[in-house]
Amino acid sequence: MKVGIIGSGGREHSLCEALSKSKKISKIYCFPGNAGTQKIAKNIDINVDDFEILKNFIVSEKIELIVVGPEKPLVEGIVDFFENNNIPIFGPNKLASQLEGSKIFTKKICAKYKIPTAKFGIFENINKAKLFLNNAKFPMVVKADGLAAGKGVYICENMENAENAIEEIFNGKFGEAKNVLLEEFLVGEEMSYFVVSDGKNIKKFETAQDHKRVGEGDIGKNTGGMGAYSPSRLINKDLDKKILDKIIYPTLNALKDMNCEYKGFLYAGLMIVKNEPYLIEYNVRMGDPECQTILPKLKTDLLEIILGCTKRKLDEIKIEWHNQNSLCIVLCSKGYPDKYKNNILINNLDNITLDSNQKIFHAGTKNENNNILSNGGRVLNFVCLENSFKEARNKNIQLINKVNWTDGFYRKDIGYRVIK
Ligand code: AMP
Ligand code: GLY
């Protein structure tokens, strides 16, 4: 069968690579893909925001399944659009995608269904929000409601920071704001928890921990993710059951009460406080770089899992994993997450030979006249599966040194909590 993948990052290259191993797939198309996907799939450079143009291409090429990587098209209703046109697509519909598209939608579900989360207030103007600050404890968290490419969250140390954040949000930094969310600051350790759902059944899909801050020791600005490891060091049977019973099932039941079924990957961003889970946010997709970190551990054919979902037969699929630990390091353009240059040559990739337990996934890259050029802040993802996280990290660093891209930088301390 022919499959189409929407997106262009490291997550999508890893999805593409996992699917390319499926014997049932004859051809993969990536919309638009990157220099890595181009080696195993056909990259199609069309405007994915225009669902009609995308559909015309998909129909003309007889593509039978679409897999959506990023959140934006999901929140904009790509799944509803293709399902209305009877084209199988893997991902949650527009209403279910509000779990990521609106933090306030999710917080209201948490309140109604008693899902553990940081205490919060929703305020519809600057004055009401500022009034609340008079009695607030710091640090506290200020959040824009909608999608903000990871930038709409402010951890505020004092009144002045919080007032500035509230003003920026209402002044339209992340688009028109009807509300602002103020939240208690939770102290604990973060974990990324994934399930996959067909609307009727769910299956667990591994855990990971990522490093969001740009600097070693988890300091500096927030990024999309500088590296990750899987499994999480925090997960245990007791915690796993609490996450499912207190967070995942109540959320899916809340959607059912709205006549909505969840289909696709669901990613719960959790804060673990003394073995108790609190929901920080939902994402309606795989994480990036968690996806690149987790998929190499997957033994089961990813296509079978996805078809299990689109056909509502996920209960018939057994998801199996390799036992080894996985660790991913992201090589970024110098300057990221602020200003950085694109179109810088990456020379050595063709000379590199990988062991069977190593992967290099492309993120922000493009191929021009057979040259690989940088094309984004996060450029390459180095992933290694090993018995120990330490060995996995060392092997990744050796590989990064071989690539020797002097315009890039990376964190050498990914996984420090699990590496002594
Ligand atoms: P989000 O985009 O909601 O994941 O927030 C980005 C990051 O801000 C999270 O990964 C956390 O590190 C941090 N964060 C968000 N909400 C809270 C909270 N209530 N308490 C502590 N940290 C938070
Ligand atoms: N790694 C965080 C995210 O994908 O949102």
Side-chain angles (χ1 to χ4, degrees):
M1 81 189 290
K2 293 180 177 180
V3 176
I5 299 173
I6 312 264
S8 64
R11 169 183 48 214
E12 288 74 22
H13 187 194
S14 70
L15 287 165
C16 185
E17 198 249 6
L19 288 171
S20 73
K21 289 190 279 193
S22 176
K23 292 195 178 66
K24 280 193 190 160
I25 294 181
S26 56
K27 189 167 181 180
I28 303 178
Y29 297 78
C30 290
F31 304 95
N34 57 36
T37 64
Q38 197 172 0
K39 289 204 167 165
I40 43 178
K42 190 166 170 58
N43 283 356
I44 306 293
D45 193 10
I46 55 176
N47 179 8
V48 290
D49 292 335
D50 190 326
F51 299 161
E52 196 64 44
I53 292 181
L54 189 60
K55 186 197 80 183
N56 291 340
F57 182 88
I58 279 163
V59 170
S60 71
E61 293 291 317
K62 301 193 171 65
I63 296 171
E64 291 154 276
L65 171 71
I66 304 163
V67 178
V68 188
E71 62 278 13
K72 187 167 168 277
L74 294 168
V75 171
E76 287 170 359
I78 194 169
V79 168
D80 312 59
F81 177 87
F82 278 95
E83 284 184 343
N84 288 339
N85 285 285
N86 296 317
I87 298 171
I89 180 162
F90 177 67
N93 65 20
K94 190 171 182 174
L95 177 56
S97 297
Q98 286 295 296
L99 286 177
E100 179 166 2
S102 166
K103 293 186 191 298
I104 292 177
F105 174 87
T106 298
K107 280 293 197 184
K108 285 184 175 165
I109 288 179
C110 290
K112 186 166 171 194
Y113 292 82
K114 301 196 166 52
I115 294 169
T117 186
K119 291 194 194 90
F120 68 98
I122 299 164
F123 301 91
E124 70 254 27
N125 62 46
I126 295 188
N127 290 341
K128 285 187 183 167
K130 283 189 179 173
L131 207 62
F132 172 86
L133 292 181
N134 289 331
N135 296 314
K137 272 198 234 140
F138 290 93
M140 61 153 331
V141 188
V142 177
K143 294 185 178 179
D145 182 32
L147 285 187
K151 296 197 177 79
V153 175
Y154 299 77
I155 312 290
C156 301
E157 297 296 336
N158 54 45
M159 182 76 92
E160 193 188 343
N161 294 161
E163 288 188 344
N164 284 341
I166 291 165
E167 278 167 25
E168 281 193 6
I169 290 170
F170 277 114
N171 288 338
K173 187 161 182 190
F174 309 102
E176 194 203 343
K178 291 203 178 76
N179 292 293
V180 69
L181 182 63
L182 304 190
E183 234 178 72
E184 163 201 26
F185 180 78
L186 292 173
V187 181
E189 194 169 320
E190 278 178 74
M191 173 171 124
S192 306
Y193 188 90
F194 298 91
V195 298
V196 60
S197 167
D198 69 358
K200 199 171 55 161
N201 312 283
I202 73 159
K203 293 258 156 136
K204 288 191 287 179
F205 202 77
E206 262 299 356
T207 58
Q209 283 180 258
D210 76 344
H211 294 269
K212 288 204 172 96
R213 303 295 193 98
V214 69
E216 286 175 14
D218 291 331
I219 55 165
K221 289 202 168 161
N222 243 344
T223 70
M226 298 295 293
Y229 52 97
S230 172
S232 160
R233 72 165 186 158
L234 300 166
I235 196 69
N236 56 60
K237 252 187 157 173
D238 179 42
L239 179 63
D240 202 59
K241 186 169 165 17
K242 285 181 197 162
I243 295 167
L244 289 169
D245 291 346
K246 294 185 177 186
I247 297 179
I248 304 292
Y249 290 127
T251 304
L252 297 176
N253 287 337
L255 291 178
K256 280 197 184 122
D257 290 345
M258 297 176 207
N259 274 328
C260 176
E261 284 187 337
Y262 194 97
K263 181 187 71 195
F265 289 118
L266 179 62
Y267 161 2
L270 305 172
M271 189 70 84
I272 309 301
V273 186
K274 298 188 187 118
N275 214 40
E276 286 296 326
Y278 291 81
L279 180 69
I280 291 187
E281 59 159 6
Y282 272 122
N283 297 305
V284 294
R285 51 171 173 84
M286 275 307 286
D288 184 334
E290 290 95 328
C291 189
Q292 301 86 300
T293 314
I294 287 174
L295 285 184
K297 280 166 59 78
L298 183 65
K299 266 195 207 166
T300 310
D301 182 343
L302 178 62
L303 179 72
E304 296 300 337
I305 297 172
I306 291 176
L307 290 177
C309 287
T310 55
K311 294 179 176 161
R312 290 167 64 86
K313 288 185 176 168
L314 189 59
D315 51 331
E316 293 173 14
I317 309 287
K318 184 156 189 255
I319 302 183
E320 292 184 292
W321 300 97
H322 293 290
N323 278 331
Q324 285 152 305
N325 293 317
S326 179
L327 187 136
C328 167
I329 301 179
V330 178
L331 182 61
C332 301
S333 300
K334 273 185 189 159
Y336 175 78
D338 296 318
K339 271 206 181 125
Y340 55 83
K341 287 191 196 136
N342 276 335
N343 298 309
I344 300 183
L345 187 66
I346 305 166
N347 253 327
N348 300 323
L349 284 172
D350 283 339
N351 311 326
I352 300 243
T353 40
L354 296 173
D355 291 344
S356 60
N357 62 341
Q358 293 179 309
K359 310 267 181 203
I360 299 178
F361 294 118
H362 288 234
T365 67
K366 65 180 174 187
N367 182 325
E368 255 180 36
N369 308 318
N370 288 326
N371 288 318
I372 311 273
L373 305 181
S374 64
N375 188 35
R378 294 191 290 169
V379 178
L380 293 169
N381 308 145
F382 296 77
V383 184
C384 185
L385 251 58
E386 277 291 344
N387 291 330
S388 83
F389 282 118
K390 187 173 186 176
E391 188 64 21
R393 180 166 77 184
N394 286 344
K395 283 201 157 177
N396 281 333
I397 291 177
Q398 281 166 17
L399 212 51
I400 294 173
N401 287 338
K402 272 192 201 156
V403 173
N404 190 26
W405 189 50
T406 50
D407 289 275
F409 77 99
Y410 65 98
R411 276 182 60 172
K412 295 182 186 68
D413 70 337
I414 299 302
Y416 68 82
R417 287 195 183 89
V418 285
I419 298 173
K420 287 285 167 277

